[in-house]
Amino acid sequence: MIVTERSGKMYKNSVLTVLLFVFIIACTTAVTAQDEGESSLGLSLGATGFHLLDEHAAYLIFRGTGITPSVLYSFTDGRDKHYADIMFTYSNLRTVSEVYKTPFLAGRLRYSCLRQVAEGILFNHSLDLSAGLSVSSFFSKASYKFQMSGLWANGIKTWYGSHSADVSIQAGYNTGENSRVELLCYLPVISNVSRPAYSSSGDYNYEKNDWQIKPFGNTMFLTGNFGFNALLSWVHNPRNKMAFTISYEFNYNHCTKPDRVTLFSNSLRACIMFNLKSGAKE
């Protein structure tokens, strides 16, 4: 048992080291390449509708809508594209019965590096296809409450955290001289997932295992922690000026260990991007 536990910890630490190394190399590549490309920084604001089923807390679906601000950074140099974003959201989720609710917060940090692999012409407008890798960290926390004698009593607290290396694919279509439609998809390949401990007999310390959040947990591959994220955007980008973006995002996460949690969301956001540099055009 001791050998198994040590091996598991060594394996988990090795995976985390690799993910960190990939993130550092990717960021370094983006920074050193900025002398020749175009970069922009944006602020985004919108609404997100959540659906949450966490069987560690209840066999009920909680749903609600919250405000989602985010900060985005993009850098393009020829066929190479780099994206980074930070997202945060907060909402109060409820069940159909209205006697259960949970404050719900979530955040995401992601960096993506893609390269254009194909291009063509469709209806006299250009289209392109890019592929690459990304590293991301997603965390959500729910503090369940139930109504009792007219008061809201505190129940269990749960969380879901996932640090992953993803495959990224982007398709873009230029609808006009300064406008463009883009579809960007992410699929996690390997993840490190943190969840509360679970025991069907309840023979463990609730305060330690349910209330003390662990930043890292178990390493899982594609099917163990399945996720899918798609971002559909319309971009209007006048030359050497601010760019405007309207986007729709769908996100789905499903993890079965130690107990099933399913989370999906739909977001609609508007964004203003400030062109920081346009060396390629000049």
Side-chain angles (χ1 to χ4, degrees):
M1 176 63 72
I2 295 178
V3 175
T4 302
E5 290 179 353
R6 288 180 177 177
S7 300
K9 290 181 179 180
M10 291 178 61
Y11 177 70
K12 179 179 72 174
N13 292 334
S14 299
V15 171
L16 295 177
T17 302
V18 171
L19 291 177
L20 180 60
F21 178 76
V22 171
F23 180 78
I24 293 175
I25 292 298
C27 290
T28 303
T29 302
V31 172
T32 56
Q34 287 189 12
D35 290 338
E36 301 178 358
E38 302 175 353
S39 59
S40 59
L41 181 67
L43 300 175
S44 175
L45 184 64
T48 301
F50 285 97
H51 289 73
L52 172 65
L53 171 62
D54 190 343
E55 294 183 358
H56 182 72
Y59 290 85
L60 299 171
I61 297 176
F62 289 75
R63 55 178 62 87
T65 302
I67 301 299
T68 305
S70 62
V71 178
L72 306 95
Y73 174 79
S74 68
F75 174 76
T76 304
D77 182 13
R79 293 180 175 270
D80 297 323
K81 304 175 183 179
H82 302 267
Y83 301 106
D85 71 272
I86 301 175
M87 178 275 293
F88 173 80
T89 187
Y90 177 83
S91 177
N92 280 299
L93 308 183
R94 293 179 178 269
T95 63
V96 176
S97 64
E98 293 291 334
V99 297
Y100 300 97
K101 70 175 183 178
T102 176
F104 178 81
L105 62 87
R108 181 186 67 212
L109 172 64
R110 179 164 61 200
Y111 174 81
S112 309
C113 179
L114 300 95
R115 184 173 180 81
Q116 183 177 314
V117 296
E119 58 183 339
I121 300 294
L122 180 64
F123 301 120
N124 297 323
H125 293 286
S126 62
L127 58 85
D128 56 79
L129 180 67
S130 303
L133 300 174
S134 69
V135 287
S136 62
S137 291
F138 176 84
F139 177 81
S140 64
K141 180 184 177 183
S143 303
Y144 291 86
K145 302 177 184 294
F146 57 94
Q147 198 170 41
M148 184 176 61
S149 301
L151 300 175
W152 287 101
N154 293 323
I156 194 173
K157 295 185 179 181
T158 68
W159 72 86
Y160 167 76
S162 176
H163 312 283
S164 63
D166 319 321
V167 173
S168 308
I169 298 177
Q170 183 187 55
Y173 181 68
N174 294 322
T175 57
E177 183 180 358
N178 297 319
S179 60
R180 175 179 172 87
V181 176
E182 296 178 341
L183 176 63
L184 183 55
C185 299
Y186 298 92
L187 183 67
V189 177
I190 183 171
S191 311
N192 184 272
V193 180
S194 174
R195 290 278 290 144
Y198 175 77
S199 171
S200 58
S201 60
D203 55 350
Y204 64 94
N205 189 320
Y206 272 92
E207 181 177 356
K208 178 180 179 180
N209 293 331
D210 287 348
W211 294 57
Q212 297 180 7
I213 297 176
K214 299 177 296 182
F216 301 104
N218 300 318
T219 299
M220 301 180 183
F221 292 93
L222 183 65
T223 57
N225 179 52
F226 180 78
F228 178 74
N229 180 239
L231 181 64
L232 179 63
S233 304
W234 175 79
V235 183
H236 180 65
N237 186 15
R239 292 187 177 183
N240 300 322
K241 295 181 180 181
M242 293 186 299
F244 305 93
T245 302
I246 297 177
S247 63
Y248 163 77
E249 181 177 3
F250 173 78
N251 185 72
Y252 177 86
N253 297 97
H254 178 78
C255 184
T256 58
K257 296 180 180 180
D259 208 5
R260 182 166 67 111
V261 58
T262 301
L263 168 67
F264 72 87
S265 62
N266 296 277
S267 303
L268 185 62
R269 295 193 292 268
C271 176
I272 299 178
M273 299 290 292
F274 300 92
N275 296 327
L276 304 179
K277 196 172 186 180
S278 56
K281 292 181 179 179
E282 297 174 354

